[in-house]
Amino acid sequence: MNITRMLCVVFFLSFCLGCQPPLKTDLEKEALIPYPQLVVGTHDTFIIDKVISIAFYKNHSELEQVAELLEEEWNAMNDKSIQAKKLKDRVVPKNGFYIELIDDNLSHKESYELIISKNLLHIKASTAEGIYRGWQTVKQLLLLQKYASSQGEKRSREILPTGMIIDTPNYDYRGAMLDVSRHFFGVEDVKKYIDNIALYKINHLHLHLTDDQGWRIEIQSWPNLTLHGGSTAVGGGDGGYYTQDDFKDIVEYASKKFITIVPEIDLPGHTNAALSSYPELNCDGQAPDLYTGIEVGFSSLCAHKKITFQFIDDVIREVANLTPGEYFHIGGDESLSTKESDYILMVNHAIKSVRKHNKTPVGWEEIHVADLTSPAVVQYWKDQKHIKKSLEQKVKIILSPAHKAYLDMKYDSLTSIGLKWAGYVNVKQAYEWDPSTLLMVDKKDVLGIEAPFWSETTERIGQVEFLAFPRIIGHAEKGWSINQKQSWDNYKERLIEQCKVLKGLNINYYHSPLLIQ
Ligand code: TNX
C-alpha cells in the first residue's frame, strides 16, 4: 500500500470513529428524576430510529387512549413521527416500541416495568396509568438524549442505553398546587404547568380557586362571584375566571395525563371576593370593596345567617359536579377574624356537604378543630401541633412544609419575586428533607407530599416557572423515590442534566448558582 493510500485509510477510519465513537452506555447513570426504585444496565444500545410505531394489543380501551397520547407526546419531541398500532394478536413484537397491560393485582396502580433491549423498548404495567408513568421515564431518557448528555459526552447517534427498570411510587399522593386567585392564570397556562409536572410523575394538581383577591370558578347559582368577584387581582389587574366549560377542559386535559385536579374553595376566611359580590353573605349586610393587597386573615363568612350555609352547599355542589376526582379542598386556613365556634360550625358544614357528594374533604391544618372523622385529609404547612391533633381523628396527612415545599419562597436575598416569611429556600434546602421523619408521623398516616405555589408576587406563568423550577422536581423525587437512595450530591448531578431538558422545553427555570458544574 503506498503512503498516500495508507494515509487515506487512516484518515477514513479516524473520520468514521469520529462520527461514531464506541458507545458507552449505562442506564444506571442516566439523570432520571424521580430516580426509579431499581435500575439495571446491560450496557448495550437501542437505536431510537428503530421505533416506527407504538404497538399495543387491544385488551383495554384505556390502553388505546394512552397509546394515542404517547403517539402525540412522542411526535411532539421527535422529528420522525410514529403512530399507535393495534395488534391483532397478543405477541410481543421482536422490535420497536411495545406497551403491554399485564394481569397483576398485587402491584400498585402506578407501578411499571421498562425493558430496553437491543431491538425492543417495552413498557409493562397493570394499568394504563402505570404505562403512562413508565412512559415518563422513557420520555426523560429521550429528552436527556436530545438536550443533555447524561453520560458526559454528546452522543452522535440517537440511542438509549439498554437495561431494565422496575419502579413504583413511595407515596400515593404527589401534588402541586397553583394559586390562581391572587393572580389568574388562563387555561393554556395551566395546561403547560400540567405538561411540565407530568414529566416528573406528579399525580395531583390542587387549584386554589378562591381567595380574598379573586373568585375564579363560575358558579351558576351565584353568578356575581365571578362577574364581580373575579374582576381583579393583586395589584389591581384584570383578574379573570374559568367558566365551567373551561374548568372541565382543564380537568379532562389533566386526567388524560393521569393528573387529578383537586379544587379548593377556601372558607370561611379568605372570602373577601365572595363577600364583596353578595352583601347578604356579610353579617352586617354591607359588601366590602374588592381587595387587591396581600394581607391575610381579615375576611370571614357569617355563621349567623342561613344563607351562608346555602351558599356553601351550592358552591360545593356545583364544583363537586365538575370534578371527578376523589378530593375536595375546603381551605380553612388563617380564618383569623372568625370566632372559633363559628369556624367549627362552618367547617363542619362544608365537610358534610363535601361528603354528600362522595368526595373526601381536605383542608389546611387549622381544620383540626372541626369534626374530621375519617376519611379526611389534613394538609400540614407550619404547625406540628395541628398535625398531632388531627391524627387523633385518624385522618391522613399531606406534607407541605412551608420552609421546604413552598414554591413562592425566594431562593435567596437576590431573588426579585416571591415572599420570604418562611425563610429563603434554595434548591439544596428544598431537596434536603425527609418526608418519613419530618413530623414523627407514621408512614401509613402520610398520604403524600404537595408543593404549593402562592401567586401574590407573580403575574405571568413564566414567573411561576422561575420559582417552581427546578425546586418542584426535587419534591417530585421526595414523593416518588425511596428516601435512603437520595443524597444532594447524587441529585445535584442529575438535576444539572435535567435543567438542560428544562431549557430545551422552554421552561423559564431559575439558574441556581448551586448547580454550576
Ligand atoms: C400562607 S399556607 C397562606 C396563603 C399565602 C401564603 C404565602 C396557607 C394555608 N395560607 O394564604 O398565600 O402563605 O406564602
Side-chain angles (χ1 to χ4, degrees):
M1 200 188 291
N2 70 32
I3 192 92
T4 332
R5 275 188 71 190
M6 235 164 80
L7 279 174
C8 275
V9 170
V10 169
F11 177 75
F12 179 69
L13 275 178
S14 59
F15 179 77
C16 277
L17 289 174
C19 59
Q20 286 191 1
L23 296 167
K24 284 182 272 143
T25 72
D26 189 348
L27 187 63
E28 292 161 40
K29 294 214 175 86
E30 289 289 322
L32 294 168
I33 302 179
Y35 200 73
Q37 308 294 356
L38 181 73
V39 185
V40 182
T42 49
H43 311 284
D44 215 325
T45 58
F46 171 87
I47 297 170
I48 296 168
D49 246 16
K50 284 193 180 152
V51 176
I52 49 168
S53 63
I54 300 169
F56 65 100
Y57 169 65
K58 191 183 180 250
N59 51 345
H60 200 300
S61 69
E62 268 197 33
L63 185 62
E64 181 158 8
Q65 265 182 34
V66 104
E68 280 162 13
L69 182 62
L70 264 54
E71 172 191 309
E72 201 181 304
E73 293 191 7
W74 176 290
N75 292 342
M77 68 183 171
N78 289 305
D79 304 331
K80 213 181 97 196
S81 59
I82 63 171
Q83 273 183 346
K85 184 174 147 200
K86 204 183 299 179
L87 301 179
K88 283 202 207 79
D89 303 305
R90 186 172 192 152
V91 180
V92 180
K94 291 206 168 47
N95 46 43
F97 184 8
Y98 182 54
I99 56 175
E100 184 185 16
L101 279 187
I102 50 168
D103 286 329
D104 182 359
N105 300 335
L106 293 179
S107 74
H108 189 278
K109 68 181 166 77
E110 295 182 274
S111 302
Y112 68 92
E113 250 180 75
L114 168 64
I115 304 122
I116 311 175
S117 54
K118 250 173 99 68
N119 297 311
L120 186 69
L121 190 56
H122 185 178
I123 306 175
K124 288 188 214 178
S126 64
T127 65
E129 184 170 357
I131 300 278
Y132 189 71
R133 302 288 175 234
W135 159 242
Q136 299 314 310
T137 301
V138 174
K139 198 169 163 183
Q140 283 196 13
L141 292 172
L142 293 167
L143 289 166
L144 288 163
Q145 150 74 43
K146 185 167 176 172
Y147 297 118
S149 146
S150 55
Q151 312 218 350
E153 62 184 86
K154 194 77 210 137
R155 294 180 190 134
S156 51
R157 288 164 70 192
E158 298 202 342
I159 56 112
L160 295 181
T162 56
M164 179 175 187
I165 290 179
I166 298 178
D167 206 5
T168 195
N170 198 19
Y171 290 98
D172 286 348
Y173 186 107
R174 302 172 310 279
M177 187 211 86
L178 187 60
D179 168 10
V180 295
S181 175
R182 271 52 177 272
H183 282 102
F184 180 65
F185 302 98
V187 174
E188 291 314 308
D189 286 345
V190 176
K191 285 184 178 174
K192 187 175 181 213
Y193 205 61
I194 289 172
D195 291 344
N196 298 342
I197 61 176
L199 182 59
Y200 297 97
K201 301 189 176 75
I202 285 175
N203 63 1
H204 287 81
L205 176 63
H206 163 187
L207 289 175
H208 181 78
L209 292 164
T210 66
D211 212 305
D212 292 318
Q213 297 85 347
W215 188 284
R216 309 297 182 201
I217 174 82
E218 176 191 14
I219 303 296
Q220 287 167 354
S221 52
W222 295 75
N224 220 28
L225 288 172
T226 42
L227 294 178
H228 173 75
S231 65
T232 190
V234 166
D238 281 347
Y241 64 89
Y242 307 121
T243 63
Q244 295 206 349
D245 282 343
D246 288 341
F247 190 74
K248 281 190 214 149
D249 185 19
I250 293 174
V251 166
E252 207 175 297
Y253 186 84
S255 98
K256 265 177 125 186
K257 296 184 182 235
F258 298 93
I259 290 182
T260 306
I261 298 292
V262 180
E264 178 185 349
I265 302 295
D266 199 353
L267 55 87
H270 289 277
T271 42
N272 190 76
L275 298 167
S276 177
S277 306
Y278 287 96
E280 58 270 41
L281 292 176
N282 296 270
C283 279
D284 64 3
Q286 302 287 314
D289 289 342
L290 287 170
Y291 181 68
T292 59
I294 65 166
E295 296 298 314
V296 296
F298 59 89
S299 57
S300 179
L301 292 174
C302 179
H304 308 284
K305 286 188 146 183
K306 246 170 114 182
I307 192 144
T308 297
F309 297 91
Q310 182 64 48
F311 168 78
I312 293 175
D313 286 341
D314 289 343
V315 170
I316 289 177
R317 183 188 66 251
E318 288 199 32
V319 176
N321 286 342
L322 298 171
T323 319
E326 177 186 354
Y327 301 111
F328 193 114
H329 205 302
I330 55 160
D333 57 320
E334 300 171 317
S335 275
L336 309 179
S337 56
T338 319
K339 252 188 30 207
E340 180 158 310
S341 54
D342 291 351
Y343 176 89
I344 292 173
L345 264 179
M346 291 186 278
V347 171
N348 279 350
H349 187 84
I351 288 173
K352 275 202 199 116
S353 194
V354 164
R355 292 213 170 106
K356 233 191 289 163
H357 299 283
N358 296 318
K359 308 277 175 207
T360 301
V362 188
W364 297 105
E365 62 187 37
E366 290 94 323
I367 67 163
H368 71 90
V369 293
D371 181 9
L372 302 178
T373 51
S374 72
V377 178
V378 169
Q379 187 163 7
Y380 166 70
W381 62 285
K382 68 167 187 192
D383 190 341
Q384 303 208 22
K385 287 196 289 305
H386 293 164
I387 298 309
K388 220 170 143 234
K389 293 255 174 61
S390 305
L391 284 170
E392 286 163 13
Q393 300 200 58
K394 306 249 173 311
V395 301
K396 294 256 187 208
I397 306 295
I398 292 176
L399 302 174
S400 299
H403 64 298
K404 294 289 178 189
Y406 269 31
L407 299 170
D408 58 317
M409 292 301 119
K410 289 173 186 275
Y411 292 98
D412 58 30
S413 61
L414 300 174
T415 317
S416 58
I417 46 176
L419 300 173
K420 58 176 186 186
W421 65 263
Y424 298 126
V425 186
N426 68 31
V427 177
K428 184 169 186 241
Q429 289 160 324
Y431 184 74
E432 286 194 316
W433 63 288
D434 179 351
S436 67
T437 54
L438 182 81
L439 292 181
M440 315 283 220
V441 168
D442 231 39
K443 171 144 192 270
K444 71 167 183 9
D445 296 328
V446 177
L447 187 62
I449 290 164
E450 183 174 291
F453 189 97
W454 301 99
S455 63
E456 283 94 334
T457 66
T458 50
E459 280 173 61
R460 285 171 283 109
I461 196 72
Q463 296 173 311
V464 175
E465 288 174 359
F466 179 80
L467 286 172
F469 289 88
R471 288 183 290 197
I472 196 168
I473 300 177
H475 301 305
E477 176 148 301
K478 298 278 128 189
W480 181 282
S481 305
I482 294 174
N483 205 61
Q484 300 88 282
K485 289 195 182 162
Q486 302 173 29
S487 77
W488 165 251
D489 288 337
N490 173 293
Y491 174 68
K492 177 183 155 188
E493 295 306 315
R494 288 179 287 129
L495 188 57
I496 288 170
E497 298 306 315
Q498 287 287 341
C499 283
K500 298 174 190 165
V501 169
L502 298 180
K503 182 165 180 244
L505 295 176
N506 284 321
I507 297 172
N508 184 35
Y509 73 100
Y510 164 68
H511 295 246
S512 167
L514 296 171
L515 299 178
I516 289 170
Q517 265 166 318

